[in-house]
């Protein structure tokens, strides 16, 4: 089964500091991975996906097959980045396996 | 227009009651999901429906039953509510096919007293 893990439940950084939210996956093949974000009192929304290779709100994530990781990074954290971040594998052709990682709460301190 | 809408936004009820949460999507997606987010913000899938067929049922008590009258709706019925059912429930949808992203509803905060 496709699984992702997020080892950090809480990550606190100061404004302007670099931030890295860790995500590791445990399946073979060519994974497609997602990062979802949930700001306070808002619905979950897609932040970025591996296949699009785009940077959203200054965040990037590189797939490292050697380390089986898909860490989310931003060089300079902003207070508005404070949120819950979830890493997720893709659904398969039948809509299965959208099983999220446990999530990491990012707190950006002023 | 909201892509995935769920109602009610808040639901406060007594133990033992039966309640329903409705979800509708206007994206034309063929797969819909229910997720439960607990107080620690862990997000766990409960069900997914694809073309009216239950695909996933992750050790959810049978007090929870999804009902899909059509492809655009997936309602969640909960019987004999318990204190531990208090959580935020999110509906979501996606289109069948590999690597498709999820669209979420705004969530229903369920409080069982």
């Amino acid at each position: 089964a496709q699984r992702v893990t997020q080892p950090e439940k809480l990550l606190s950084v100061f404004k302007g500091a670099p931030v890295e939210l860790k995500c590791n996956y445990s399946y073979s093949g060519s994974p497609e991975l997602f990062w979802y974000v949930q700001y306070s009192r808002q619905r979950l929304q897609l932040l970025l996906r591996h296949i699009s290779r785009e940077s959203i709100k200054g965040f990037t994530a590189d797939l490292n097959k050697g380390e089986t990781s898909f860490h989310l990074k931003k060089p300079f954290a902003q207070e508005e980045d404070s949120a819950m971040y979830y890493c997720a594998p893709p659904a398969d052709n039948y809509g299965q396996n959208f099983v999220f990682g446990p999530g990491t709460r990012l707190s950006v301190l002023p | 227009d909201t892509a995935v809408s769920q109602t009610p936004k808040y639901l406060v009820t007594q133990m033992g009651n039966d309640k329903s949460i409705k979800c509708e999507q206007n994206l034309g997606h063929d797969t819909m999901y229910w997720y439960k987010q607990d107080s620690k913000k862990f997000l766990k899938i409960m069900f997914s429906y694809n073309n009216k067929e239950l695909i996933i049922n992750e050790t959810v008590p049978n007090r929870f039953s999804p009902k899909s009258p059509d492809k655009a709706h997936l309602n969640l019925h909960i019987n004999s509510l318990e204190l531990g059912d208090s959580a935020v429930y999110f509906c979501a949808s996606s289109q069948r096919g590999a690597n498709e992203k999820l669209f979420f509803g705004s969530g229903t905060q369920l409080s069982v007293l």
Side-chain angles (χ1 to χ4, degrees):
Chain A
Q2 302 175 11
R3 288 289 181 264
V4 294
T5 56
Q6 293 177 248
E8 302 149 326
K9 292 183 180 179
L10 174 65
L11 181 63
S12 295
V13 300
F14 287 103
K15 178 183 174 182
V19 61
E20 181 180 75
L21 295 140
K22 293 182 169 53
C23 173
N24 291 92
Y25 61 91
S26 60
Y27 50 94
S28 59
S30 298
E32 166 65 59
L33 290 158
F34 301 79
W35 275 100
Y36 286 82
V37 60
Q38 185 182 24
Y39 300 104
S40 178
R41 301 183 183 278
Q42 293 187 27
R43 70 184 68 199
L44 283 101
Q45 57 187 292
L46 181 69
L47 180 63
L48 59 80
R49 56 193 296 182
H50 162 244
I51 196 171
S52 62
R53 294 187 175 278
E54 54 188 334
S55 173
I56 304 296
K57 300 186 178 183
F59 284 96
T60 58
D62 291 322
L63 187 68
N64 186 322
K65 292 185 179 181
E67 296 179 358
T68 61
S69 67
F70 188 58
H71 302 331
L72 184 68
K73 299 177 183 179
K74 185 170 182 177
F76 307 104
Q78 303 298 316
E79 288 183 70
E80 55 264 31
D81 296 328
S82 297
M84 282 292 297
Y85 290 82
Y86 295 93
C87 184
D92 63 13
N93 285 334
Y94 300 95
Q96 299 185 57
N97 284 327
F98 249 129
V99 179
F100 285 77
T104 299
R105 176 175 292 284
L106 174 64
S107 180
V108 181
L109 307 172
Chain B
D1 286 343
T2 303
V4 182
S5 59
Q6 54 182 107
T7 56
K9 191 172 179 63
Y10 299 98
L11 183 56
V12 181
T13 188
Q14 299 286 334
M15 282 176 56
N17 285 350
D18 303 336
K19 291 293 178 184
S20 296
I21 307 173
K22 296 184 178 180
C23 179
E24 176 182 4
Q25 54 94 6
N26 62 7
L27 299 167
H29 288 167
D30 60 9
T31 306
M32 296 183 70
Y33 309 79
W34 277 103
Y35 284 84
K36 178 181 179 181
Q37 186 179 45
D38 62 24
S39 58
K40 295 182 178 180
K41 302 297 185 183
F42 290 160
L43 194 63
K44 298 179 181 178
I45 191 167
M46 301 177 72
F47 304 103
S48 77
Y49 253 69
N50 186 309
N51 291 332
K52 296 190 177 183
E53 181 182 359
L54 180 65
I55 302 296
I56 300 173
N57 187 338
E58 294 282 330
T59 64
V60 174
N62 57 15
R63 298 182 294 104
F64 291 80
S65 55
K67 302 278 190 233
S68 182
D70 55 58
K71 203 170 77 167
H73 295 84
L74 183 65
N75 303 324
L76 182 65
H77 297 273
I78 315 170
N79 296 324
S80 302
L81 278 156
E82 300 178 356
L83 293 176
D85 298 332
S86 295
V88 180
Y89 293 85
F90 287 96
C91 177
S93 71
S94 71
Q95 181 60 31
R96 179 191 289 195
N99 307 325
E100 290 300 327
K101 67 180 181 180
L102 288 168
F103 290 81
F104 281 88
S106 57
T108 296
Q109 173 80 58
L110 172 65
S111 298
V112 182
L113 307 178

